[in-house]
Amino acid sequence: MVSTMNLVLFSALLLFSLQTVVSVTPLPFQHPLDPLTKEEITLVQTIVQRKYPTFNNTLSFHYIGLDDPHKDTILKWESTKPTITTLPRKAFAIAIVNTQTHEILIDLQTKTILSDNIHNGNGFPTLSVDEQGVAIELPLKYGPFKESVNKRGLNLSEVVCSTFTLGWFGETQSSRTVRVECFMKESTPNIYVRPISGLTIVVDLDLLKIVEYHDGGIIPVPAADNTEYRLSQQKPPFGPKHYGLATHQPEGPGFQISGHSVSWANWKFHIGFDPRAGLVISLASIYDLEKHKSRRVLYKGYISELFVPYQDPTDDFFYKTFFDAGEFGFGLSTVSLVPNRDCPSNAQFLDVYVHAADGTPVLISNAICVFEQYGSILWRHTENGIPNESFAEARTEVNLVVRTIVTVANYDNIIDWEFKTSGSIKPAIALSGILEIKGVDIKHKNEIKSDQHGTLVSENSIGVYHDHFYIYYLDLDIDGVYNSFEKTSLKTVRVTDGSSKRKSYWTTETETAESENDAKITIGSTPGELSVVNPNKKTSVGNDVGYRLIPAIPVHPLLTDDDHTQIRGAFTNFNVWVTPYNRTEKWAGGLYVDHGHGDDTLAVWTKKNRDIKNKDIVVWHVVGIRHVPSQEDFPVMPLLSTAFELRPTNFFERNPALKTPSPRDVQWPGCRS
Ligand SMILES: *[C@@H]1O[C@H](CO)[C@@H](O)[C@H](O)[C@H]1NC(C)=O
Ligand SMILES: *[C@@H]1O[C@H](CO)[C@@H](O)[C@H](O)[C@H]1NC(C)=O
Ligand SMILES: *[C@@H]1O[C@H](CO)[C@@H](O)[C@H](O)[C@H]1NC(C)=O
Ligand SMILES: *[C@@H]1O[C@H](CO)[C@@H](O)[C@H](O)[C@H]1NC(C)=O
Ligand SMILES: [Cu+2]
């Protein structure tokens, strides 16, 4: 028996070469939600450059993505399956042209610009990778910085720098500036744990020059000892030891990918990709064996923003209040997956294209992987109650996972969407990578005299306190577009009339949210269940068909409401929000987050308190990881994860996995069962 769970000892590492590294088959046709192709990105570049020739304009692209066809158009297309040529294909670009931010909508079929508006509000677009590349070189050629490096006795050739967005602290005007921090790469590639602390370097990204510089005094750079994490550079002893572990699929994978459409077991869905959101899951439907049809669950889901506020108010750290999707781009920061490490040997991979600042397409190979994995037990029962006829019925759970990894500087975010035959979708997040370290002149905890705003994880190294708040956009369409949000509270009832020997019990009370204010949920304040139901569809016994949100462990913000950082990150004020579907409300922290004022957030939109009952609704779920660093997070941290579940609740007439057989048993050489 193959089991990944009980660590059966295999005598050798068995890997089967079922993996297809690039498996995108030629498209029979383009799905209307397919990400922009290499050719389409080039076309956007050409069309925009035609209007703003680069010989007399400065032009940089900060977003080039698909402008989805309208939802009703997609739904109509899906139900009638006409040819793709009848559907519009548009791209949306955000470009800075001569310091003005333009929002440009392009028709890719007629090759024309449909609209070109200038953004006059607060905040700036996502930074380009290219301008950050220029910014990090600037200190190395800057006299005062070289002096600071010399003064510290450091070798300039061993210095590398990185860009950090500056946030907003109440100023009315700001320019497109970033802080640049520098690190020592001498004797270790683990640069983030070796900051040259005490320097303030501000770069203007439009001017591409240092506009502010300050040396606050020498703080020792933490030593390189014990910061190496590459196995090739480690010295014995090694361990704990692993034995072989394999997934064997002699008949090939149980899923099919056609273009970007996936079908597996009872699920089908589409995999999209956006330079800002990264992975996008759309049109997820589950086949109902009894109703003989596919039923929609999720129209679209993705991570809308990731807010990472650090909790150190001192000069070196106060500004570290990052919005990784809006400022750096989850798609732009997606990395190539390492076969057999990031994804198992039975995974298939998809490539994607993003764009460079000049609009040139940039390939990210193996950006997404799809694989089946052993989960746990799908369901089971041992029947001991029938005399002389006891038996056990147990089914193996196999799940399908779609995975990407977004590495924004020091942190790696492992993003999974797991699909289960029992009808659940389980999105999960795991963090790995390197802590953000503050250099200090402290070698032992007993030298700490004041709050250091973090944990001393190694000599001279404080791992600063922070949170990671992800917010998921979940446009659920439970068996149809019109849904309601229900809150079921669990209430204690006291027995006072002597009718029972019990003094108390609990029961449920369900309330349908009428408007947005009814659906701002702080999880944990009262016991309850949250679900999205289709009030227009009922099971045969009369329940509304629905899906429950089993939330992640709730994390509540601890900053004050008047803190500028919290105003920008106000989408964390509640764990769950529900809004009526609105095409333009995509980014929970606002469209322009860099230096943004928090005037275009989910918290602002919902002030209208719009109706959400029996409407096309979107659920927003905040998934947080609070991070008080520990020594084990150093020099590289093991995965820290959290997940939530969308689980059918009276959606099916009965257990939809009742007739799901277990996978075929496989005998392995060297494995005793
Ligand atoms: C750039 O040149 C084009 C064509 O010569 C002209 O129409 C346009 O006004 C110029 N733009 C600027 C900003 O100078
Ligand atoms: C500085 O670093 C460079 C590049 O690693 C090296 O070649 C050089 O010898 C170093 N200089 C000193 C003084 O250590
Ligand atoms: C169960 O099996 C035992 C032993 O074979 C037998 O004595 C007993 O009568 C059986 N009980 C029933 C309910 O069949
Ligand atoms: C959609 O959202 C935008 C931004 O919140 C808002 O300006 C617009 O009025 C909304 N449209 C509708 C139809 O509610
Ligand atoms: Cu962290």
Side-chain angles (χ1 to χ4, degrees), residues 386-389:
I386 309 171
N388 293 354
E389 286 174 41

Side-chain angles (χ1 to χ4, degrees), residues 154-159 185-186:
L154 303 172
N155 183 345
L156 189 68
S157 316
E158 296 288 346
V159 173
K185 68 174 163 65
E186 192 175 32

Side-chain angles (χ1 to χ4, degrees), residues 136-154:
I136 63 174
E137 295 291 329
L138 295 174
L140 308 178
K141 292 168 271 179
Y142 187 69
F145 177 77
K146 290 200 240 180
E147 229 168 83
S148 298
V149 169
N150 283 336
K151 214 163 68 185
R152 286 164 171 77
L154 303 172

Side-chain angles (χ1 to χ4, degrees), residues 308 310 411 431 435 466-468 625-627 637 640:
V308 189
Y310 281 80
Y411 265 111
L431 276 169
L435 287 173
H466 60 280
D467 306 291
H468 304 255
I625 298 179
R626 219 186 275 302
H627 202 170
M637 63 180 283
L640 184 59

